[in-house]
Amino acid sequence: DKVVIEFTNNSPEEMHFMFVGPDAVHGEEFTEPCEGCEVYSSPPTGNSCFDEGEVMKVELDPGEYRLMITSTESGFGKPLHGTKKLKAGETYKSCYYKMENS
């Protein structure tokens, strides 16, 4: 079974997703800016971040991956990165947004 990763880009900037995994598998994906999405003054509540935005869906083999999300625009702030063991058959969903002064 594959691992499914879904990122919702709820920001007005293009999102850049990069990964490195087992057996040197690697790749990158770009997700278009969200038309009509704005910069938040406070974090979105509940699941509202998923209500609009461009969705990037990637299927990978299970294993440990180094993941990084950033923007191709200046001013996005620090990249979000980390290492995660992704399990077969699981779906991982997250939403990314931009805050003022970030």
Side-chain angles (χ1 to χ4, degrees), residues 73-85:
E73 304 294 322
S74 62
F76 187 75
K78 295 179 181 177
L80 304 169
H81 60 88
T83 301
K84 180 142 180 93
K85 185 164 182 109

Side-chain angles (χ1 to χ4, degrees), residues 10-92:
N10 190 315
S11 80
E13 298 177 357
E14 184 179 65
M15 185 177 67
H16 188 188
F17 169 67
M18 293 162 279
F19 61 89
V20 177
D23 300 322
V25 66
H26 63 280
E28 61 184 337
E29 299 284 332
F30 294 89
T31 305
E32 294 294 318
C34 172
E35 297 285 329
C37 288
E38 298 182 19
V39 176
Y40 286 83
S41 58
S42 61
T45 58
N47 288 325
S48 64
C49 186
F50 294 97
D51 290 345
E52 62 180 305
E54 298 296 322
V55 178
M56 176 203 68
K57 183 176 179 180
V58 177
E59 292 186 8
L60 301 170
D61 290 324
E64 187 170 279
Y65 285 83
R66 177 92 173 140
L67 308 169
M68 185 170 84
I69 297 276
T70 189
S71 173
T72 57
E73 304 294 322
S74 62
F76 187 75
K78 295 179 181 177
L80 304 169
H81 60 88
T83 301
K84 180 142 180 93
K85 185 164 182 109
L86 304 177
K87 298 178 184 174
E90 294 289 317
T91 298
Y92 299 87

